Amino acid sequence: MQTENTFLKVINLYISYKADTPPVFESIDFEIEKGEFVCIIEHSGCGQTAILNVLAGLEDATGGDAIMLGKRIQGPGLE
Ligand SMILES: Nc1ncnc2c1ncn2[C@@H]1O[C@H](COP(=O)(O)OP(=O)(O)OP(=O)(O)O)[C@@H](O)[C@H]1O
Ligand SMILES: [Mg+2]
């Protein structure tokens, strides 16, 4: 649920680099509140850098949305 305290909302995020191989990840949903400190911990190659690149606006996800402070992330910015 998006509230005034929501910093980041990730909805059904999906990244696939090649059509003939399984996606790096799919169906990723989470929310981070303002001031919350979050770590993403997984095995190497599971897409941690890929997801951070999407959140930084450096990479487009194959599907889904990432919304920061109520605005869809569409490219890098000062935030
Ligand atoms: N531009 C790209 N084109 C094709 N495959 C890619 C691309 N970038 C990343 N990958 C692949 O996507 C998967 C996830 O990569 P990513 O760099 O996000 O892993 P990671 O979870 O950050 O790993 P590590 O913990 O080692 O840093 C890997 O299998 C990687 O080889
Ligand atoms: Mg990495």
Side-chain angles (χ1 to χ4, degrees):
M1 188 181 61
Q2 177 108 19
T3 70
E4 63 180 24
N5 215 31
T6 302
F7 174 63
L8 186 72
K9 189 171 168 75
V10 169
I11 307 162
N12 205 19
L13 206 68
Y14 163 66
I15 285 192
S16 174
Y17 290 111
K18 291 182 198 147
D20 57 349
T21 55
V24 176
F25 55 71
E26 60 187 337
S27 306
I28 300 290
D29 290 272
F30 63 87
E31 271 185 48
I32 299 175
E33 299 209 334
K34 290 176 187 169
E36 214 175 352
F37 185 95
V38 174
C39 298
I40 301 176
I41 301 172
E42 251 304 346
H43 294 287
S44 177
C46 282
Q48 298 159 99
T49 295
I51 198 166
L52 290 177
N53 282 341
V54 172
L55 299 184
L58 299 173
E59 185 175 328
D60 288 330
T62 313
D65 272 325
I67 295 160
M68 184 182 288
L69 297 172
K71 257 181 69 182
R72 190 162 177 268
I73 297 169
Q74 287 181 301
L78 295 176
E79 321 88 290

